Amino acid sequence: MQGLFSRLYPVQITYLISVYFTNALLLLWFSRMGISHREILIFYLLMYGLAVASIAIFRSIQPRAYFVIGICANIALFVIYAFFFKKEFLYLMSLLYAPVFLFFWINYNIAFFRGIDSNKKATGSALYAFAFSLLSAIMPVLAGYTAVKFGMPAVFYIGAAVMAVTLLLSFRIKAEAVHYRISNCLKCIKGVKTLIFLEGFWEHTTFIAIPLISLFFINEEIKLGAYLSYLGLTGAIASIFMAKFSDKAKKRKEFIFPLAIALAIATMLVCFGSNIYLWVAFTGLLYLISPALKPFQTTVVLDNAKCGIDQLMIAREFLLNLGRFCGIIVFIALTAMGFTKGSIFIAAIAMAFYPFVMKWKGHYKNSPKQPVACHQPPTLDL
């Protein structure tokens, strides 16, 4: 796994520094720009809908070019936010976000998970997830301080500068093109499609529902940044510890079942966060459990999919975004009916079903299955 840290992992680190720093206060900034919560939700709906459509329509991944396009799309977003953004541009901005999922994340995930040893899948998944948890604990509070001290444009300037560093680092990664059809990719993950969709559906709670509802309780930059950093901090250590132990024990099911049920309960409790104290406590519990479960969810897919890593990661990203898209539709519909936390309640039920779907599909009856490659994946120069 040395190559992951010498050439690939720095790309993820700098990318996440930029994204978590700039996006931490984005919803608050949108609100202060006069953008309604309904308009914000439609923006996210378009973003994930376009991501799903892009993955379905495209037929190949050109690693070097796609890294450049995905990273440059982020730089363009931050520059527009800093210099040109108006309320009327909101929906058009979703067009720039869509390439990020196809051009950056699928590309990166294929490269990252190809480099993981077969007996260290949970550890590798945890290292991947740990970067998210760690940087989500650090960057929001720094963004809040920067916004108060220098204004939101400074946040976007810094984000664009760090993303430019990511662009330079990405030139060190070399890989051959991947050709695919989404129908073939979905066939090869037949046993885990429902699990990935449930995972994506649940993620709408942490991606949009909780951050948006939090604005009812916290509407100052420093306080919001500190709150978001607190959420990130709660799960940073749990994710790496749990998955490391799982690789030694080789017993995924024994971890997934209690963690998934605990996460379902924590998600349900969020629905009862009627004041800031309960909201902070219950969302903190949710963000503590979620990063601990996340590496196992990725490992379930790696253990049980019957195809090469390229097709696997393409299908996974497609279904994750489809699940998020559906989650936002439910959030919009129930919010319009006056049930602001209704989609969080449904997400809790979905997560409670997760371990039982895994059992129904027959995963880990005896021991973790090794994935069978349907073809030899292209080589990656790390």
Side-chain angles (χ1 to χ4, degrees), residues 87-100:
K87 178 182 176 180
E88 292 76 18
F89 295 170
L90 181 66
Y91 297 152
L92 291 175
M93 299 293 281
S94 63
L95 296 174
L96 283 173
Y97 275 103
V100 172

Side-chain angles (χ1 to χ4, degrees), residues 30-45:
F30 279 164
S31 296
R32 292 184 176 177
M33 293 283 288
I35 299 171
S36 68
H37 288 181
R38 178 177 172 273
E39 290 170 325
I40 291 173
L41 287 172
I42 294 173
F43 164 73
Y44 276 94
L45 189 67

Side-chain angles (χ1 to χ4, degrees), residues 216-237:
F216 290 110
F217 300 103
I218 308 168
N219 54 17
E220 298 177 21
E221 289 90 342
I222 286 289
K223 291 182 180 179
L224 182 61
Y227 166 69
L228 294 174
S229 287
Y230 149 76
L231 293 180
L233 184 62
T234 56
I237 302 302

Side-chain angles (χ1 to χ4, degrees), residues 5 9 12-21 24 125-142 225-240 287-288 290-292 294-295:
F5 293 95
Y9 209 55
Q12 181 181 351
I13 295 296
T14 55
Y15 184 93
L16 291 177
I17 287 173
S18 175
V19 168
Y20 278 127
F21 188 75
S125 299
L127 290 170
Y128 175 88
F130 181 68
F132 289 86
S133 297
L134 178 64
L135 293 171
S136 68
I138 297 170
M139 303 319 296
V141 69
L142 295 178
Y227 166 69
L228 294 174
S229 287
Y230 149 76
L231 293 180
L233 184 62
T234 56
I237 302 302
S239 62
I240 192 74
Y287 277 76
L288 171 66
S290 173
K294 186 68 176 177

